[in-house]
Amino acid sequence: MLFPVQTNQAARKVLGGAVTLNNATGISTPVSVIFRAISSVIAKPSTTTTMVTDQNPNSPLSIENIIDATNNERIKAGLTPLKVNEKLETSAKIKVDDMITNQYFEHTSPSGKTVADLGNEVGYDYVVMGENLALGDFSSASDLLQAWMNSPGHRANILNASYQDIGVYAAQGTYQGRTVWFAVQHFGTERGVCPAVNSSIKASIDSLNATIKQEESQIDSLRTQIEDPNHPEGQSYSNLIAQFNSLVAVYNTNVAASQQKITQYNQEVVAFNKCLGQYQVSEPAEAKD
């Protein structure tokens, strides 16, 4: 937890570095990648009355100013500026409002929601998301960004080349008896950056495998009849063998088709998760002061 002290002796805290990856899973060889990084020590909430002020363009911590200050840091580092994403702006506002209403300051809400849950809630289909939080008496967007940039975990999020989108929100509320700013940055990259995994192939595989299972049962039944010492003679027996061989041929064709589709599907999963692997990040150290 960072406590930069201003001239009015107001304490400030920044909490950041939460990162979540969204993975795909194959049929025979699942590949699972989930990374979370949290950097902070959490302040315990107190029960107080609260007030919330709506964001407006003239606010010293306006959305536009925070995003501009963020992208200025990225440009100075030789990185591409982040694009404003309305869904991430919505998720950031939900987080700010929830922290003020429920009097807490941490990545996971009292109800158990994380940045990943908020992304899903607003329909942001992501491969990676991140979150920076701040609470305190900040005089401007530049002041807020400097507090984040002074912490390795938050700086890593702001300067993460894997992110393409951003949404921010800031509002004032009462926390532990003081009127302070609550600020949230949500970072992300949408799932479309990675090659798609065709869900229709998986549905086709499931359908084929159900048919194969039925055919296996029929083949076993015919085999039992053919191998029975009391099996029918003459043409009836020949017809039974012909039926068996015909079903076996269909069965083998379906098995080969299923295996081909499974291979194709798993190749797509591997390609997606290989792309996802580019967004893996190491866990930052806890920021303490």
Side-chain angles (χ1 to χ4, degrees):
M1 187 183 302
L2 302 182
F3 291 93
V5 178
Q6 296 183 294
T7 53
N8 60 4
Q9 300 300 308
R12 306 193 299 183
K13 311 181 189 76
V14 291
L15 178 62
V19 178
T20 302
L21 298 179
N22 202 357
N23 66 288
T25 302
I27 294 176
S28 57
T29 310
V31 180
S32 179
V33 187
I34 299 177
F35 281 80
R36 270 170 221 249
I38 295 182
S39 126
S40 70
V41 173
I42 308 303
K44 293 182 179 179
S46 64
T47 55
T48 63
T49 56
T50 65
M51 65 91 173
V52 179
T53 61
D54 291 333
Q55 175 66 250
N56 67 77
N58 297 320
S59 165
L61 265 63
S62 70
I63 291 172
E64 182 179 357
N65 289 343
I66 295 172
I67 291 174
D68 284 347
T70 301
N71 279 333
N72 285 339
E73 294 295 342
R74 289 178 65 87
I75 291 169
K76 285 192 292 185
L79 298 172
T80 303
L82 299 169
K83 304 187 301 290
V84 177
N85 184 283
E86 290 184 2
K87 292 177 179 179
L88 292 184
E89 284 194 342
T90 300
S91 65
K93 184 179 187 303
I94 291 172
K95 182 66 175 181
V96 167
D97 291 345
D98 191 56
M99 287 194 296
I100 294 174
T101 300
N102 292 300
Q103 289 291 280
Y104 71 96
F105 180 63
E106 56 185 291
H107 290 294
T108 303
S109 72
S111 63
K113 285 187 179 181
T114 65
V115 62
D117 297 315
L118 293 175
N120 292 331
E121 184 176 323
V122 300
Y124 186 75
D125 194 11
Y126 66 91
V127 292
V128 61
M129 282 188 70
E131 178 180 77
N132 279 352
L133 307 180
L135 178 151
D137 188 9
F138 302 99
S139 61
S140 65
S142 297
D143 186 31
L144 170 63
L145 255 293
Q146 191 58 55
W148 272 328
M149 291 296 288
N150 287 342
S151 168
H154 313 94
R155 180 186 181 91
N157 259 346
I158 292 169
L159 301 183
N160 189 334
S162 296
Y163 295 137
Q164 296 182 359
D165 304 326
I166 188 172
V168 306
Y169 197 76
Q172 285 184 303
T174 301
Y175 184 75
Q176 296 184 342
R178 296 192 304 110
T179 299
V180 294
W181 281 100
F182 289 76
V184 173
Q185 289 177 312
H186 277 174
F187 307 93
T189 296
E190 291 185 291
R191 189 183 183 96
V193 75
C194 287
V197 177
N198 191 341
S199 59
S200 66
I201 297 178
K202 176 64 164 60
S204 177
I205 292 167
D206 291 340
S207 177
L208 263 177
N209 286 347
T211 299
I212 289 169
K213 187 174 182 180
Q214 291 176 351
E215 291 168 347
E216 284 178 349
S217 178
Q218 294 170 5
I219 288 171
D220 287 341
S221 176
L222 287 171
R223 186 191 302 276
T224 299
Q225 295 177 56
I226 291 170
E227 295 177 349
D228 188 337
N230 298 316
H231 63 71
E233 299 292 340
Q235 189 61 43
S236 295
Y237 185 65
S238 296
N239 290 341
L240 195 62
I241 292 175
Q243 184 182 357
F244 174 85
N245 287 338
S246 175
L247 186 56
V248 166
V250 172
Y251 171 85
N252 287 336
T253 298
N254 286 337
V255 167
S258 175
Q259 290 174 341
Q260 183 178 16
K261 288 178 181 291
I262 287 173
T263 298
Q264 180 183 354
Y265 181 79
N266 282 340
Q267 285 173 345
E268 291 184 359
V269 169
V270 169
F272 176 82
N273 283 328
K274 182 178 180 181
C275 173
L276 183 66
Q278 300 173 17
Y279 298 90
Q280 295 178 7
V281 295
S282 58
E283 183 174 349
E286 289 193 346
K288 298 180 181 180
D289 194 13

